[in-house]
């Protein structure tokens, strides 16, 4: 369901397996190193989206439990960033960006503390009532990247854009 490569090498994935009960799914966390050695661990939480920070920390977004930092080897929750629901997560520098219905919420990844609203980014991402709720399993409506200077890049169906946090 989700795969991310780590900037430190290797990566992580969430695998979903059907069970005999159609209303239940088994979630497995898969960690792998740069050589391809993998380790699978059953997950208790239903994470469906993963993001690595530039420093190699792993964030996971679950269906019901918000966004958490995860152990990169086992997928276990090490600390919570936000318990609120979000449609999408991104990372810029040491900030977690949670795209909710109508607003970008920013959190300091190290402390979990909310950061001030970036009005310019919020206006750019939510112009014309845009929603980032996942409507299909074929992909996401936005993709994030960043450079060494913590400039945020994002791509939507409107084009590719860049943004300096708290800037323009």
């Amino acid at each position: 369901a989700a795969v991310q490569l780590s900037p430190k090498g290797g990566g992580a994935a969430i695998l979903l397996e059907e069970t005999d009960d159609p209303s239940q799914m088994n979630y497995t966390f898969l960690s792998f190193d740069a050589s391809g050695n993998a380790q699978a661990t059953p997950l208790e939480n239903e994470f469906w989206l993963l993001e690595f920070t530039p420093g190699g920390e792993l964030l996971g977004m679950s269906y019901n439990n918000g966004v958490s930092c995860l152990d990169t080897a086992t997928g276990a929750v090490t600390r919570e960033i936000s318990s609120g629901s979000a449609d999408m997560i991104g990372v810029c520098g040491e900030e977690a960006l949670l795209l909710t219905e109508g607003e970008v919420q920013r959190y300091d990844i190290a402390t979990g503390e909310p950061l001030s609203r970036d009005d310019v980014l919020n206006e750019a991402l939510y112009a014309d009532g845009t929603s980032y709720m996942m409507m299909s399993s074929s992909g996401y409506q936005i993709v994030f990247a960043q450079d060494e200077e913590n400039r945020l890049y994002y791509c939507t169906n409107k084009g590719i854009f860049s943004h300096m946090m708290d800037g323009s």
Side-chain angles (χ1 to χ4, degrees), residues 106-126:
R106 300 167 57 199
Y107 290 86
D108 182 297
I109 293 171
T111 65
E113 294 295 319
L115 300 172
S116 63
R117 180 176 160 150
D118 185 325
D119 289 326
V120 173
L121 180 61
N122 206 76
E123 177 63 31
L125 291 179
Y126 289 97

Side-chain angles (χ1 to χ4, degrees), residues 6-79:
S6 170
K8 303 287 186 182
I14 303 291
L15 306 175
L16 300 176
E17 293 179 284
E18 293 181 5
T19 65
D20 294 335
D21 179 352
S23 67
Q24 296 289 330
M25 298 287 281
N26 285 335
Y27 287 76
T28 301
F29 181 81
L30 182 68
S31 63
F32 51 94
D33 64 22
S35 299
N37 300 311
Q39 171 183 318
T41 308
L43 276 178
E44 293 179 20
N45 294 313
E46 298 176 348
F47 291 103
W48 64 277
L49 189 60
L50 300 172
E51 282 289 331
F52 275 100
T53 69
E57 275 197 281
L58 182 60
L59 302 183
M61 186 166 75
S62 70
Y63 288 110
N64 303 320
N65 299 321
V67 176
S68 301
C69 288
L70 307 179
D71 181 284
T72 57
T74 66
V77 173
T78 57
R79 69 182 181 280

Side-chain angles (χ1 to χ4, degrees), residues 124-130 132 141 155-161:
L125 291 179
Y126 289 97
D128 305 320
T130 302
Y132 296 99
Q141 299 178 30
C155 178
T156 68
N157 63 355
K158 297 177 184 174
I160 301 172
F161 304 91

